[in-house]
Amino acid sequence: MIVSDACKTGMATRMRSPAVFKRPVVLLPLILLLWIAATAKAAPPWNVGYRTIAVQDALTGESFPVALWYPTPAAPAPVFVTGSLSLCRFPAILCRGITYEMPVAQNAPVAAGAFGVIVISHGAGGMALLHRDLAIALASHGYVVAAPTHPRGKDNDISGVGVWVGRPKQVSRVIDTVLEDEKLGSHIARERIGVVGHSNGGYTALAVAGAQPSTSADAAHCRDHPDDAKFCGYGGAAAREATREVGLLPELRDPRVRSIVLMAPNAAPFTDDALAKVTVPVLVYAAEKDDLTRVRYHAERLARALPQAECVLVKGAGHFSFIASFPTALKMVAGEGARDPGGFDRDALHEVMNREIVGFFNRTQRPARDTLTKGAQPPSCRSRESTAGS
């Protein structure tokens, strides 16, 4: 079970004394109507459609796959998809354990209306389906969600030009493609565009939101913090050499992006001055037991440096706790990506976190929104407790 910390800033709970009614029979229909209304409001307003597209990398010309989820009036059914976004052709009883199951309407028509767009950028070595539960939650509440499997480049999804420049440009190209799509384009509210990023996807989201990355900032971090050995050694000598070859970086900001969500983000490639130029609202999730993008060097620093930031520290969580759970047979293949510290309840976290992310985008993607301001949240991450195994 996930519960919010009692000291959450700006939150207060008001309780009313129970009323005593002398005529319960008269009030029963009213109570029943109120219950029905509350239940209807709680239910997601749309079913979720699903299909895939291919997008061309602006940097290399390479084609990469993108998964799309969107609101639809069509009824959902279990769909079993592999990591490469192909369909499982075995009986459902076999597919369920070896592929990713989603309750969606495949290739269904788009619902009537105008919807926001959210691009989800996975971490190094990841793929489009790693945040499928969040994508479905967003689509069921009125968003078109696009999740690319970022190209690996020269078998390196950790550093180098293909990551530093390629990833942000790929996100912008995905936005272009969705807006131009013959089925989706006319249903898009073009002033409502956001990005979600995990780990290196967090780097990607920050770059498109206006933080100018710098290889010297990344090198300075590792020089000044020799205790951050796992982060600085990730990818080995090949990754460090690829970073040295990057050179000067072009402008990567996409002015269409209105707000972003970061999960266990990589913030090392940015100076504080660069982060201060991010003018959009940001929601940051940090994992207390993250030993790769450690809280004090990444999330806590973002909470201090970003002008408009909310930060949540999830107690007991690890770096990969923000990824959706893996099917049984794939947990061994996924390795540490499928494991959580000390039996942490990943599914319970996602149930709460996905709801919060939907609410964050609903607040920050409105044309006339009440923006967060520096000082509205403390310059640190508020904590959320987790009861493991509950």
Side-chain angles (χ1 to χ4, degrees):
M1 186 178 81
I2 310 297
V3 297
S4 296
D5 187 89
C7 298
K8 183 181 287 187
T9 303
M11 299 293 289
T13 302
R14 296 182 180 179
M15 301 184 66
R16 294 181 178 178
S17 299
V20 178
F21 296 109
K22 294 183 178 180
R23 300 180 64 186
V25 176
V26 175
L27 289 170
L28 184 58
L30 177 59
I31 294 171
L32 182 60
L33 287 172
L34 290 172
W35 178 83
I36 292 172
T39 304
K41 186 177 181 180
W46 284 283
N47 294 327
V48 177
Y50 169 80
R51 65 184 176 95
T52 62
I53 57 174
V55 175
Q56 193 172 47
D57 186 352
L59 195 65
T60 65
E62 179 182 358
S63 180
F64 59 93
V66 178
L68 297 175
W69 295 262
Y70 51 90
T72 182
V79 173
F80 301 95
V81 186
T82 69
S84 63
L85 302 185
S86 61
L87 296 178
C88 180
R89 302 299 182 184
F90 298 112
I93 193 170
L94 295 177
C95 291
R96 186 162 280 116
I98 61 174
T99 60
Y100 302 90
E101 180 179 357
M102 297 183 293
V104 294
Q106 189 177 13
N107 296 321
V110 186
F115 309 112
V117 175
I118 306 297
V119 180
I120 301 179
S121 177
H122 61 73
M127 60 177 180
L129 297 180
L130 290 186
H131 304 280
R132 63 196 180 280
D133 60 335
L134 173 59
I136 290 172
L138 285 162
S140 70
H141 286 84
Y143 292 91
V144 173
V145 182
T149 294
H150 288 290
R152 297 286 189 267
K154 297 177 180 178
D155 298 320
N156 174 20
D157 193 25
I158 299 169
S159 63
V161 174
V163 172
W164 288 73
V165 179
R167 272 176 162 263
K169 285 187 173 293
Q170 288 151 21
V171 167
S172 291
R173 188 69 193 101
V174 168
I175 295 171
D176 293 339
T177 305
V178 171
L179 295 181
E180 296 164 1
D181 187 87
E182 62 179 10
K183 296 178 181 177
L184 292 172
S186 62
H187 294 272
I188 301 301
R190 297 176 179 238
E191 75 282 1
R192 298 178 58 211
I193 297 176
V195 179
V196 177
H198 172 247
S199 194
N200 247 13
Y203 157 81
T204 307
L206 284 165
V208 297
Q212 182 70 17
S214 162
T215 57
S216 61
D218 191 73
H221 168 82
C222 292
R223 182 179 63 249
D224 297 341
H225 303 290
D227 58 318
D228 202 11
K230 184 171 183 178
F231 173 83
C232 294
Y234 205 67
R240 291 190 290 276
E241 179 61 28
T243 298
R244 284 193 289 269
E245 294 175 355
V246 169
L248 292 176
L249 293 165
E251 171 65 45
L252 298 168
R253 176 176 174 265
D254 191 322
R256 297 171 296 185
V257 173
R258 294 283 298 274
S259 56
I260 62 173
V261 174
L262 312 174
M263 298 178 285
N266 170 15
F270 306 99
T271 64
D272 284 355
D273 287 344
L275 293 171
K277 294 179 181 177
V278 176
T279 59
V280 303
V282 183
L283 174 59
V284 184
Y285 284 95
E288 179 191 31
K289 297 186 178 180
D290 189 342
D291 61 352
L292 182 55
T293 53
R294 299 169 71 177
V295 176
R296 65 183 175 185
Y297 295 139
H298 298 274
E300 288 280 8
R301 181 167 162 255
L302 291 174
R304 292 191 302 269
L306 292 169
Q308 300 185 67
E310 298 176 76
C311 186
V312 179
L313 174 64
V314 184
K315 292 193 172 182
H319 183 78
F320 298 100
S321 297
F322 301 110
I323 293 173
S325 295
F326 287 86
T328 305
L330 297 183
K331 288 184 177 178
M332 290 183 292
V333 179
E336 64 175 347
R339 294 192 292 269
D340 296 290
F344 178 84
D345 193 338
R346 183 181 297 200
D347 292 336
L349 166 64
H350 282 238
E351 183 178 347
V352 174
M353 181 180 70
N354 292 348
R355 244 186 351 254
E356 291 178 345
I357 292 174
V358 169
F360 172 78
F361 281 127
N362 286 346
R363 294 195 316 271
T364 60
Q365 293 287 319
R366 290 197 300 266
R369 67 185 186 273
D370 296 325
T371 58
L372 301 169
T373 57
K374 190 74 172 177
Q377 295 290 336
S380 61
C381 297
R382 70 181 186 270
S383 297
R384 170 171 297 130
E385 300 284 354
S386 170
T387 303
S390 62

